[in-house]
Amino acid sequence: MKKKALSYLILLTLVIGLVLSGCSSSDKSASEGKSGDGKIHLKFMHDWPKGSSTAYYSLVDEIIKDYEAKNPNVVIDVEVLNPDQYRDKLKVLAASNELPDVGLTWSNGFAEPYATGGQFAPLDDIIEKEFKDQFVPGTVESYSFNGKSYALPMEMNVTYIFYNKEIFKKYNLEVPKTFEDLKKIGKTLIKNGVIPATVGSKDGWPASMWFMYLADRIGGPTILTDVIKGKVKMSDPAIVKAAKEIQNLVDMGFFVKGNTAFSNDDAKGYFLNEKAAMFLTATWELPNFTTSPDVPQEFKEKVGYFKFPIYEGGKGTDINSYVGGPGLGAFVAENSKHKEQAKDFAAYLVKEWGKRSVEEAGILPATKVNTEGLNVPKMYLDVLNDINNATNITTWFDTQASPNVSELHHDLITALFGKQITPEEFAKQHDEALAEEAKK
């Protein structure tokens, strides 16, 4: 049934994907066009464009060049798409069994149909041989199904509210301890003509982090995972209350106007250009706030962060409970014509990523990090310490969910932020989709 569900999902996006297939921002060459050079060509696809993910792009590019230098009989043909294009194209390629030899996948519900549908190759042999006890606990499990592991984890992310310390100081604002404190901060900023928080809700997933944290703080740290497991419904009063609080924030003008038309990059610009005081996002943005040469040092010195505040009267009383989890992992296509070479490249990519990402790019890898002697900004060390002391990290709801439910969730989040749907309707449509998924 998983294969059937995957095929149905893929066909729905076939037309979109075929258009997107020509949208690569970086494509060295098509493998089939170089078959006469006597070398092994591996197609590698990732979603870190140079413009919006410079640190990631540069690190991957460097690792690829080093691998090619060590393996002169191998050429890595690279294709780069933005995340939303990447998701769509991956579905299309899977439909025709043309996945790249090596690519990136999100964990849990996103990866499951590809893994159980025979698209991803099991990588337990590589994990045992090359990465024994090297991954952060819980990361490999997020890409494991039916007792087999289908990706090598690359990232570990948690989500914070990053804020402009200079703006806070100007209006005598302190880091909030409760959600009510956060709303008071919003009111003060609005009164002074400052946008409290920027968010891009066009694609759903960036804005969903606000909803997920409110669900955690109101209903407890396991509530959204329990929805995925079928133990709790989205119509649970705590979850509906979280959706209502989102619309309360919208009503008071807490978020940047027009956010339902903004991508995550659009929204990020408001924070980077100091037009908004706060930006709820994950630690994949750390390079922009610490090490990126594309961001002025003057701005980086103004950025601080705080944990999502506690909701008074809620069940989620531990501020060290986070929304986050494993980010992307490297997969190898089951039908790759050069599977062993693809596994070798994937292992090299992830191993070198773990070694270099900390100091060279300020990226949190999924491999364990020894912080002793690291020459990195204090914010980075603070985040590593937070992760070490986390009491819970709830994987993003849309990552845990199946692709069908995840896509609906994104659409409903956009509608929720745009007040095109009530909190009750938001919950009901989720429950209906989850019930349909459970029948498959």
Side-chain angles (χ1 to χ4, degrees), residues 11 152 195:
L11 287 172
L152 306 177
I195 299 167

Side-chain angles (χ1 to χ4, degrees), residues 28 46 56-66 78:
K28 284 185 181 178
H46 71 78
Y56 289 76
Y57 177 91
S58 299
L59 180 57
V60 170
D61 188 56
E62 177 185 301
I63 292 171
I64 289 170
K65 288 176 181 175
D66 289 347
V78 185

Side-chain angles (χ1 to χ4, degrees), residues 115-134:
T116 59
Q119 299 285 343
F120 293 169
L123 299 178
D124 301 272
D125 55 337
I126 295 294
I127 293 170
E128 180 66 24
K129 180 183 177 183
E130 304 286 349
F131 296 96
K132 193 172 180 62
D133 300 324
Q134 290 186 35

Side-chain angles (χ1 to χ4, degrees), residues 125-397:
D125 55 337
I126 295 294
I127 293 170
E128 180 66 24
K129 180 183 177 183
E130 304 286 349
F131 296 96
K132 193 172 180 62
D133 300 324
Q134 290 186 35
F135 288 117
V136 173
T139 53
V140 172
E141 291 81 353
S142 295
Y143 306 90
S144 300
F145 310 96
N146 301 327
K148 295 181 180 180
S149 302
Y150 291 90
L152 306 177
M154 295 185 71
E155 299 177 286
M156 182 66 187
N157 290 297
V158 292
T159 311
Y160 296 105
I161 297 179
F162 292 89
Y163 72 105
N164 188 308
K165 292 184 289 186
E166 188 173 272
I167 293 176
F168 268 49
K169 184 179 180 180
K170 182 177 180 179
Y171 298 107
N172 299 313
L173 302 172
E174 296 182 358
V175 168
K177 295 180 179 179
T178 68
F179 184 65
E180 281 303 311
D181 291 341
L182 182 64
K183 288 198 289 188
K184 288 176 183 176
I185 288 171
K187 289 175 182 176
T188 298
L189 292 170
I190 291 166
K191 185 173 66 177
N192 287 280
V194 179
I195 299 167
T198 184
V199 65
S201 58
K202 181 181 76 170
D203 299 317
W205 63 266
S208 179
M209 290 185 273
W210 283 94
F211 162 73
M212 292 181 214
Y213 258 126
L214 281 164
D216 172 295
R217 298 304 194 241
I218 296 171
T222 67
I223 192 164
L224 290 178
T225 299
D226 287 342
V227 169
I228 297 293
K229 293 179 178 179
K231 296 179 180 179
V232 173
K233 289 188 176 297
M234 285 289 274
S235 51
D236 184 280
I239 297 176
V240 174
K241 188 174 184 179
K244 287 180 178 177
E245 287 290 10
I246 290 292
Q247 293 196 333
N248 289 340
L249 293 175
V250 172
D251 287 342
M252 67 179 280
F254 190 86
F255 300 115
V256 59
K257 291 181 180 179
N259 64 78
T260 55
F262 293 165
S263 68
N264 188 58
D265 285 344
D266 294 332
K268 180 167 59 178
Y270 279 81
F271 185 67
L272 294 175
N273 293 315
E274 302 188 60
K275 293 180 179 178
M278 293 176 281
F279 181 35
L280 174 64
T281 190
T283 45
W284 56 64
E285 292 290 351
L286 272 180
N288 281 322
F289 307 145
T290 55
T291 60
S292 174
D294 297 333
V295 178
Q297 183 62 30
E298 182 184 1
F299 171 76
K300 287 185 281 194
E301 291 174 356
K302 297 177 184 178
V303 179
Y305 76 85
F306 57 86
K307 302 167 188 177
F308 199 95
I310 297 302
Y311 190 97
E312 292 175 301
K315 295 179 181 179
T317 57
D318 193 337
I319 203 164
N320 292 313
S321 174
Y322 298 93
V323 169
L328 291 163
F331 72 80
V332 171
E334 175 63 30
N335 69 339
S336 169
K337 294 178 181 178
H338 308 287
K339 192 187 295 184
E340 292 308 310
Q341 192 72 57
K343 285 184 177 182
D344 185 72
F345 169 63
Y348 183 85
L349 171 68
V350 175
K351 187 169 288 188
E352 291 301 311
W353 176 275
K355 290 178 184 176
R356 308 181 195 190
S357 62
V358 179
E359 289 194 283
E360 291 187 24
I363 297 168
L364 292 171
T367 45
K368 296 176 182 177
V369 177
N370 181 1
T371 60
E372 187 176 346
L374 280 182
N375 181 25
V376 294
K378 184 178 182 299
M379 183 185 290
Y380 190 86
L381 294 174
D382 289 344
V383 168
L384 286 172
N385 186 58
D386 286 346
I387 292 174
N388 289 338
N389 291 288
T391 55
N392 171 70
I393 298 178
T394 298
T395 301
W396 293 285
F397 177 81

